[in-house]
Amino acid sequence: MKDLANKSGDTTELNLVGVNFKPNPSLSTRYTSYLSSSPLTCPTTLLYSTPSCVVIATGKKGSLDPLTALAGLAVRNGFTRCSGRLFAMQKICDNVDTFYTELQKHLPRDIIIRTHAHPQQFSRNILDYIDAKEEFKHMNISSSPTNFSHLLVAVMLDSERVGWGLYSIEQYRQTISRPGDGDRLPDFELNFNRAELKIAEAMQLLSEEEKRYLFQDDLLGVDVGAAPGGWTGFLANYEKKVSVIAIDPAELDPAVGSLDNVLHLQHKAEVVSDREGHLLARSGEELVGGNWREKFRFLVCDANMDIRDTLRELVLPLALYLAPGGVLVVTLKLGRRVGVEGVARKEESAHKMLVEAGFKEESIRIHWLFGNSSNERTIFAVKK
C-alpha cells in the first residue's frame, strides 16, 4: 500500500473508491491495473490492494467526487459484475476507535443503516457497536440490510486505518449498488454469459480509430470457433449494419443461428479457408454483396485451444482475406499452471506469429479482461 502523507488530526478528508470480491489474486491484479490506469483515480495519493479488495484515491489527488469516479469506472463491462461490493468513501480515520467516534459525531438522527464493509467481520462489528450504544438509540438510529434509508461504507485499509462514507439510499441505488442487488430475479441490461462478457468488454477497448474504421459502413465479421454463438450473437446485435459469418462444425444456439444477419458455416475452419477461400467468398457475397472483401474488417475467435494452434489452424488462414486495416480479437488460452514465464512465452509466440502474418506490430496488444479467466488473455491486432 502506498502511504498517505501524515495530516494533522485523526481524520483526513480524502475521496476513495474501491471493490471487494472473494480472494482471487488474478482478479485483484486486474482491478488494480484498471483502477490505477484510469484518469478518474490517483494511485500516487493512495492505493490499497489485497487478494480480496482494491481501494484507490479518486482523481485530482483524492478531491474528485467518489460517486462521479465510481460511476465512470463502472462503465467498463465486467467491473461491477465481477465485484462483491462497490465502495465510495470520503474520509480516512487513523484507527477504528476514531472511526467509531466520527460515527457518533456525523450520523444524523432518525435513520436506518445498511453497511457495505470490508472485511465482512468489520460489518458485524459496526452493527454490534451501533446496536449497543445508547446514544444511537436516543437518536433513533437502527440497522437493516433491506429496509434502510442510508448506506454506511467502511473499509479497513490496513491493521488500523478506516476509509468510510455515508450515502442516501438514492445515491446507493444510482451508483453504489451492483446490477441486480436486492432483486431475487435480477434483469440485467446485458444478460450475457462469460463468453459474451469478454467480447462486450473487448469492444470497449478498441481504439477510436479502430471503431471508426470498423463501423464506417456495412461490416462483415467472421467468428471462427463460434459455437454455441455467444460472440456471434453479440456482434450481430451490436449494430444494424453488422453481418456475421459463424464458422464451427457444432450447432449454434437457435436464437443466434436464426438471425437474418448471421450465416453459419457448419464446417471446420480449414474447409472454409481452403480453395482460395471459395466457401468464405460465397458466404460473404450472400450476406453483404460482391465487395465482401472490403467489408470483411473484423475477425474474432474464442476457441478453446492453445493460442498457437488457434492462430495457426483457425485464425491466420482466414486472416489472409481480412481487409487491410481489419481488426483481430482473439482469446489467448494459456492452459493450466503455465506460470509467469509460460504466460510470457505464449504471448511472445502469438505476437511473433501475428507480425509474420502481416499484422502491424505496434497495434498488437494483450489485455487481461475482467471477463477472462485466470488462464486467459485477449489479444488485439490490426492488419497492415
Side-chain angles (χ1 to χ4, degrees):
M1 175 176 175
K2 294 185 179 180
D3 202 8
L4 183 70
N6 291 327
K7 306 278 186 177
S8 59
D10 295 325
T11 300
T12 301
E13 300 285 334
L14 187 72
N15 294 328
L16 311 169
V17 291
V19 294
N20 75 350
F21 35 86
K22 292 181 180 180
N24 185 329
S26 74
L27 191 56
S28 177
T29 297
R30 280 171 270 178
Y31 272 115
T32 301
S33 175
Y34 175 56
L35 290 171
S36 298
S37 62
S38 171
L40 297 170
T41 62
C42 186
T44 56
T45 299
L46 185 143
L47 173 62
Y48 172 76
S49 180
T50 73
S52 61
C53 183
V54 180
V55 172
I56 194 166
T58 64
K60 301 178 182 178
K61 299 182 179 180
S63 64
L64 179 65
D65 175 67
L67 295 179
T68 299
L70 192 59
L73 292 164
V75 169
R76 170 83 169 263
N77 278 310
F79 178 81
T80 57
R81 293 284 285 270
C82 292
S83 69
R85 296 284 193 217
L86 302 179
F87 302 127
M89 296 159 278
Q90 301 154 315
K91 302 173 185 290
I92 293 181
C93 292
D94 288 347
N95 53 61
V96 175
D97 289 340
T98 301
F99 164 66
Y100 287 141
T101 300
E102 288 288 298
L103 289 186
Q104 294 182 53
K105 292 180 182 178
H106 296 288
L107 290 186
R109 301 180 65 89
D110 303 319
I111 64 171
I112 304 173
I113 288 175
R114 170 178 171 168
T115 58
H116 271 197
H118 180 85
Q120 189 173 1
Q121 180 60 47
F122 191 32
S123 181
R124 291 190 284 267
N125 293 346
I126 294 169
L127 295 178
D128 288 345
Y129 178 81
I130 290 174
D131 290 341
K133 275 289 184 181
E134 288 298 323
E135 292 92 328
F136 292 129
K137 293 178 183 178
H138 294 153
M139 295 172 66
N140 194 27
I141 297 174
S142 59
S143 63
S144 171
T146 53
N147 300 313
F148 58 98
S149 64
H150 287 72
L151 179 75
L152 175 63
V153 178
V155 178
M156 293 286 298
L157 296 177
D158 46 34
S159 59
E160 295 185 345
R161 293 193 289 182
V162 178
W164 70 281
L166 184 68
Y167 299 93
S168 68
I169 189 171
E170 290 78 15
Q171 291 171 315
Y172 161 75
R173 288 171 175 166
Q174 291 173 4
T175 306
I176 305 174
S177 66
R178 295 172 67 250
D181 274 2
D183 296 330
R184 295 185 65 184
L185 297 172
D187 182 27
F188 298 107
E189 182 179 351
L190 291 173
N191 285 290
F192 42 48
N193 56 28
R194 180 174 287 275
E196 291 170 272
L197 177 60
K198 283 186 281 190
I199 188 62
E201 190 176 354
M203 295 298 287
Q204 291 181 315
L205 294 179
L206 295 174
S207 70
E208 290 302 316
E209 182 180 354
E210 289 165 353
K211 290 177 184 176
R212 282 194 299 271
Y213 179 73
L214 286 177
F215 302 108
Q216 59 184 300
D217 52 27
D218 292 345
L219 170 66
L220 176 63
V222 172
D223 181 8
V224 57
W231 283 32
T232 294
F234 181 86
L235 292 175
N237 290 298
Y238 190 75
E239 284 198 9
K240 291 182 180 179
K241 54 187 179 182
V242 176
S243 300
V244 184
I245 297 175
I247 302 172
D248 201 302
E251 296 285 344
L252 288 187
D253 185 299
V256 176
S258 62
L259 294 171
D260 291 339
N261 57 338
V262 170
L263 197 158
H264 180 201
L265 297 181
Q266 205 163 355
H267 301 283
K268 291 184 176 180
E270 61 196 53
V271 175
V272 179
S273 59
D274 197 18
R275 297 173 55 201
E276 297 183 343
H278 172 75
L279 187 54
L280 180 66
R282 191 176 70 188
S283 303
E285 289 175 5
E286 181 179 341
L287 274 177
V288 297
N291 60 342
W292 70 274
R293 286 286 298 269
E294 297 175 11
K295 298 178 181 180
F296 176 25
R297 301 189 296 273
F298 204 21
L299 176 58
V300 300
C301 181
D302 187 37
N304 189 20
M305 298 168 57
D306 182 276
I307 184 59
R308 293 161 293 193
D309 295 332
T310 295
L311 292 177
R312 185 182 303 111
E313 298 175 19
L314 304 184
V315 174
L316 295 183
L318 292 166
L320 291 172
Y321 308 101
L322 187 67
V327 178
L328 175 72
V329 176
V330 179
T331 302
L332 195 158
K333 305 284 184 175
L334 300 170
R336 296 182 178 273
R337 302 182 180 89
V338 293
V340 175
E341 293 182 359
V343 171
R345 281 197 301 272
K346 292 196 176 186
E347 290 181 350
E348 183 179 349
S349 295
H351 188 282
K352 181 179 179 182
M353 292 174 72
L354 289 173
V355 170
E356 291 175 349
F359 286 84
K360 299 177 183 178
E361 185 166 12
E362 67 275 13
S363 75
I364 300 171
R365 57 203 189 271
I366 297 173
H367 289 279
W368 196 355
L369 307 180
F370 289 116
N372 287 140
S373 72
S374 59
N375 299 311
E376 293 177 338
R377 305 292 187 271
T378 297
I379 190 164
F380 298 74
V382 175
K383 190 175 179 182
K384 292 180 180 178

